[in-house]
Amino acid sequence: MSLPEPPGAPPPRGHVLLAPDRFRGALDAVEVARRLAAGLRLARPDVPVVELPMSGGGDGTAGAAVAAGFRRVEVKVCGPAGRPVTAVLAFDGRCAVVEVGEAAGPRGLPDGPPRPLSATSLGVGQLIVHALRLGARRIVLAAGASAAPDGGAGLFQGLGGRLLDGLGRELPLGGAALRSLHALDLRGVPDLSGVDLTLVGDTGRPLLGRTGAVASVLGGGHAGRPAGPAGPAHGLGRAQARILEAGLRRWADLAESVTRRRARELPGAGAGGGVGFAALTLLGATVGAGPGTVLELFGFAERARGARLVVTGAETIDTGTLRGGAAASVARAAARAGVPAVAVVGRRGLTGERLRRARIQAVYALTDIDPALARTPNAAGPLLERLTVAVADEWLPPRGPHR
C-alpha cells in the first residue's frame, strides 16, 4: 500500500520511504516516487510505502511540497512574456513555497522565439504578495529555471515597487529597460520585516558575469560553468547579453545604493535570472542550503523514523550531486536516522568508495535493464517500476514462508 502521509502523522513501522529527486527531462520527483511505489506494491504488497518526493530547491519544489502535505494554491499571475499564466504555490498555514519557474519559467513563454530583453519576473513578486495575503510568516523562494534575466526587477515591480527613468516615468518590463533606470520607488512594497524569507535552488551564481544571471537564462549550464564559446543558447547573440548585463549593472548600482546592501557578488544573487539578487538586496532574504532546507521543510527525519529502507534517486549521481544534490542529502539524512539508503538513477555516474562516503549503500540504474531504452524519456517510468524488483529482492526479503 502507498501512503502519502499528512504532515505530523506518524509513519507506519517498517515502511519504505521513497524520497527521490526528479529525472531531468523525463519525470518530475512526484512521478518518480509514484512509479517506485507502484513497482514496490507489486513486488512487496505487504510492505507499507511512504512517498516523499524531494527537490534540491529549484524546479519542482512547489509540487514536491504539495505531495508532502502542503496545500496547492493556484494563482493567476503575469508570465515571463507579459501574458497571464496560472502558477502554483504551496502553503501549509504558516510557510509558503514560491517557485520561480512557476511564474517566470520557460513554460510560460508563448510559441515563437524567446524575447529575453523584455522578459519579466513580475509574476514571482505577485506570488509572494499572494503568499503574504494567505498569512505566510515564512517563505521559501525556490530559484530554478527562469526565462527572465531581469535581475529580479520584475519581482520588485510585482511586489508594488516602481522603477523610474530620469523623467519620473515608469520603465517597461524587462532587463533591457533597466539601462534607463534612474530611481526606485519602494513605497508600494509590503513590509517583510516579520517574514522569514529563504532563498534556495541554484545558489552558486553571482548576479553579473559569465556565470551570472544572464548566463543562467541564455547560456544554459550550471553555476560555475560559463556559457559555451558559441555564445548564449536559443540562437541569441552576444549583443543581447551585453544589453542585459548593462541593465543589470545599472539595477544593481541603484538597488544597492538605496538599501545599502551589496549583494551582486554573493552566491545566489544570479539564481532564477537574478531574482536572488532582488530577494537578498531588497527583501532581506537569507540563502539556505537547498536540499537541507527542503528536508527540514518536508519533515524528512520524522518520516524516516522506523523505516526499513530509504530509496532516493536522480537522473544521475555524480560529483555535483555529492556536493549538494538532493539524493546525497537524503542518503546522509537517512544515515543520521539509522536507516540504509539506496538510489535509483538513470545512469551511473559514480561507483565504489565515493558512493559509500555519501552513505549510499547501492545504486540501481535504468541502463542496467536496457541501455538503449533508458535513453528514451517515455521509457523512464516503466523502467523505474521494473527496477524496484531488484531493490526489493536485495533489501526487502519476504517475511514468513518462502513463496
Side-chain angles (χ1 to χ4, degrees):
M1 53 183 165
S2 178
L3 303 172
E5 294 290 323
R13 302 292 298 180
H15 64 289
V16 174
L17 179 61
L18 304 178
D21 198 357
R22 61 180 172 148
F23 278 42
R24 190 188 302 268
L27 301 172
D28 64 24
V30 174
E31 183 62 20
V32 173
R34 187 175 297 127
R35 291 287 191 165
L36 292 173
L40 283 176
R41 272 199 302 271
L42 292 174
R44 295 291 183 272
D46 59 321
V47 176
V49 174
V50 174
E51 300 174 39
L52 189 67
M54 294 302 299
S55 166
D59 294 340
T61 304
V66 171
F70 282 58
R71 177 161 64 94
R72 175 187 173 94
V73 181
E74 294 187 355
V75 190
K76 281 282 188 183
V77 298
C78 176
R83 301 181 183 179
V85 299
T86 300
V88 172
L89 65 82
F91 185 59
D92 72 350
R94 180 181 182 276
C95 177
V97 177
V98 173
E99 185 179 325
V100 169
E102 284 288 320
R107 71 177 186 85
L109 294 173
D111 294 336
R115 294 180 172 85
L117 300 183
S118 59
T120 179
S121 60
L122 183 130
V124 182
Q126 293 173 328
L127 278 180
I128 293 175
V129 168
H130 195 83
L132 294 173
R133 288 173 180 163
L134 290 173
R137 306 311 298 164
R138 181 185 184 191
I139 296 175
V140 174
L141 181 59
S146 173
D150 67 352
L155 178 151
F156 174 71
Q157 292 169 300
L159 287 171
R162 299 173 68 224
L163 304 176
L164 308 175
D165 66 14
L167 298 176
R169 298 172 302 195
E170 194 147 6
L171 293 182
L173 300 175
L178 295 173
R179 293 174 299 167
S180 301
L181 181 62
H182 182 75
L184 279 65
D185 182 353
L186 286 76
R187 288 175 295 180
V189 176
D191 179 13
L192 272 73
S193 58
V195 178
D196 176 6
L197 181 62
T198 305
L199 175 71
V200 297
D202 185 10
T203 53
R205 297 182 183 274
L207 178 65
L208 303 171
R210 286 174 58 79
T211 61
V214 174
S216 74
V217 175
L218 302 184
H222 302 284
R225 301 180 189 174
H234 308 302
L236 299 168
R238 296 182 186 275
Q240 286 95 335
R242 284 195 295 269
I243 290 170
L244 289 167
E245 281 284 308
L248 292 185
R249 195 173 301 278
R250 179 66 178 162
W251 161 240
D253 289 343
L254 286 176
E256 289 175 344
S257 175
V258 167
T259 62
R260 298 184 181 180
R261 295 175 183 155
R262 187 169 176 88
R264 69 182 75 187
E265 293 98 357
L266 293 179
V275 298
F277 172 79
L280 293 167
T281 307
L282 297 162
L283 306 181
T286 58
V287 177
T293 299
V294 173
L295 284 165
E296 174 266 324
L297 193 65
F298 292 0
F300 177 87
E302 293 80 7
R303 313 267 183 132
R305 190 174 296 122
R308 293 174 64 181
L309 180 69
V310 170
V311 182
T312 186
E315 178 191 15
T316 187
I317 293 179
D318 54 19
T319 54
T321 310
L322 299 187
R323 285 195 300 269
S329 297
V330 165
R332 294 187 183 104
R336 290 193 294 271
V339 183
V342 302
V344 293
V345 299
R347 61 184 185 280
R348 296 177 186 274
L350 294 174
T351 58
E353 182 59 28
R354 301 182 83 176
L355 284 175
R356 285 189 288 274
R357 285 202 301 269
R359 313 307 295 269
I360 298 173
Q361 304 295 318
V363 172
Y364 302 84
L366 301 187
T367 51
D368 294 344
I369 299 176
D370 190 327
L373 197 58
R375 290 192 290 270
T376 305
N378 290 340
L383 289 178
L384 277 171
E385 293 186 22
R386 289 171 57 185
L387 202 58
T388 58
V389 174
V391 175
D393 285 347
E394 294 189 34
W395 294 92
L396 303 170
R399 294 174 174 173
H402 291 291
R403 298 174 191 176

